Every structure is written in C-alpha cells, then in structure tokens.
Amino acid sequence: MLDTTRQSSVRPRSTAANVYEMLRNDIVMGTLKPQQPIREAEIAASLNVSRTPVREALLRLSSLGLVDIFPQSGTLVAPIRVEKVRAAQLIREVVEIEVCRRACRMAREEDFEALSALLDEQEFAAVRKDIRRVYELDEVFHRRIFEAADCLAAYEELEDVKTHLNRLRFVTINWPNRPNSIIAEHHDILAGLAARDEQAAAAAMTMHLRTILQVLDGDGGKPQ
C-alpha cells in the first residue's frame, strides 16, 4: 500500500512530478510490490490531490516500465525485469567509473572528509539494522563522488536509468552481511580516491557496481 504517512508533505495543488516521485520511491523501496494493483482514486484521496496528476504520474511510470497499465482492467506495479536491470547496470558502470577517475584528479580534501563522514553514518545505520538508511546513504555516497568530480548533472541524468537497478539493489541489501559488504566496498573506493590512484579507485568501483550481476547470474543466493 502507498505510504500515506507522508501525505502532509504533498500540498492540495501538488503537481504530477510530486506524485511521480513519491510513487517511484515506493516502487523502488518495495512499499508498492511487483504485481500489486495501483488504484488511481485511492492514491488521489490519500494525497489529497485530484486524479489528473495521479494519472499523469502513472503514465510517466508506465513509460519507464515501472507500472503496467491495462485499459479497462487496471494498473499493476511492474515486475523487476532482468533485461532492464542489466541495461541500467551497464550504463551506470560506464558513467560512474569515468566519474570516479575524474574525482581522483579533482576532489578536494573536504570531499574526502565528507565521504568519510558518510561512511561513519552508514556504519552506524548498519549496526542499528536500519536497512533503508543504509540504502539511502549508499545513494548519497555515490552522489557525493559525482559532486567531487563536478558531474552532478550526469548524476541527475542517470536517475531514471537507475530506477530498475535500484529496485533490485534495495531487495538485495537485506541479504545477510550485505550492508557490511557495501560499506567495505565504499571504504575501498574512498581509499583509491584519497590516494588519487585512478586505477585502484576505478577497480574498486567496478567490483562494487558489478555485485548486482551475481544476483542475476544466480551466484548471490536468494533474498532473505
């Protein structure tokens, strides 16, 4: 079911973009699960908006392959589609490895300090078993590298591309010991960046980003 605890954050004149972002986040985080029906009227009522922005948001989600709209039947959350995950992973890897190399050359000491502080916060979240926060901080960590490389525009362009990948990433982060593995991989990336060693940083980033492929290839076990 839609997370209605945030409905106060949506104004009565909310735009389709607001509704789209909320629904996309609920799909990525698994609040709205694959094959779950999405009822336009129910969402509009819970967010105190008209059905028009909800309809527009659903059409946008459909164009991304996140929902399946069946005329006269209804709308369902789309399943996680392997081909889209693989495509998103490939695009992300190409972009982020180049960004990582640029960050090695351009990052300032304050960038390294910020990344280290994020890892401290992520470790604390892992100890508290706050999986959602671990995931959120994973996103912030990567975004901070884009910022250090002066490539924030590229990060924003990747957002829609990564959506299918992020759905699977959020599922796999619940695996035993996966949060600790993510943090260890982040430390390796930061070590390469701080040493301004492009080869080491790129290698650490490559290994980190390719972990999800183990899931698709059946080598990572099953989600718990």
Side-chain angles (χ1 to χ4, degrees):
M1 180 178 294
L2 180 71
D3 185 353
T4 58
T5 61
R6 299 164 301 167
Q7 59 180 296
S8 61
S9 67
V10 178
R11 300 186 301 275
R13 293 185 179 179
S14 174
T15 65
N18 297 135
V19 179
Y20 163 79
E21 183 176 350
M22 294 181 71
L23 290 174
R24 184 185 65 179
N25 288 342
D26 282 343
I27 291 171
V28 169
M29 298 292 189
T31 304
L32 290 170
K33 302 184 183 304
Q35 304 300 318
Q36 180 175 334
I38 296 181
R39 297 178 176 84
E40 187 179 295
E42 180 182 304
I43 293 172
S46 68
L47 298 179
N48 193 28
V49 298
S50 72
R51 294 177 64 166
T52 298
V54 176
R55 188 175 302 115
E56 292 175 5
L58 291 175
L59 288 173
R60 185 176 174 187
L61 290 167
S62 176
S63 70
L64 285 177
L66 292 177
V67 302
D68 293 328
I69 299 176
F70 301 98
Q72 310 305 320
S73 298
T75 300
L76 301 177
V77 177
I80 297 175
R81 295 188 167 101
V82 172
E83 68 277 10
K84 289 187 176 292
V85 174
R86 288 190 182 278
Q89 191 282 331
L90 175 60
I91 295 169
R92 184 188 187 196
E93 181 179 321
V94 171
V95 174
E96 289 215 32
I97 289 174
E98 174 59 25
V99 169
C100 197
R101 290 183 181 278
R102 293 189 185 190
C104 282
R105 301 191 296 268
M106 299 176 63
R108 298 166 296 179
E109 190 60 33
E110 63 193 65
D111 295 314
F112 301 138
E113 292 174 358
L115 289 167
S116 181
L118 285 171
L119 291 186
D120 289 342
E121 189 177 351
Q122 195 172 43
E123 288 172 349
F124 182 61
V127 169
R128 291 186 288 114
K129 300 188 184 302
D130 186 345
I131 299 301
R132 182 167 185 143
R133 186 58 180 158
V134 171
Y135 174 87
E136 290 170 346
L137 288 167
D138 180 77
E139 288 291 298
V140 177
F141 179 85
H142 286 269
R143 186 181 191 281
R144 194 64 179 77
I145 294 174
F146 275 79
E147 184 176 346
D150 194 24
C151 292
L152 273 180
Y155 179 88
E156 292 166 359
E157 289 295 326
L158 274 180
E159 282 301 280
D160 281 349
V161 173
K162 286 170 48 185
T163 303
H164 294 277
L165 180 61
N166 288 346
R167 294 181 73 189
L168 189 57
R169 286 172 60 212
F170 188 72
V171 171
T172 59
I173 203 173
N174 286 284
W175 293 9
N177 300 319
R178 181 57 189 149
N180 293 332
S181 296
I182 290 172
I183 293 167
E185 292 161 11
H186 282 174
H187 275 292
D188 289 342
I189 293 167
L190 178 55
L193 292 172
R196 300 194 184 279
D197 185 334
E198 291 187 31
Q199 184 174 350
M205 181 65 80
T206 300
M207 185 182 73
H208 178 57
L209 296 180
R210 288 185 180 177
T211 301
I212 198 71
L213 296 178
Q214 297 174 12
V215 182
L216 300 179
D217 294 335
D219 297 328
K222 296 181 179 179
Q224 301 298 308

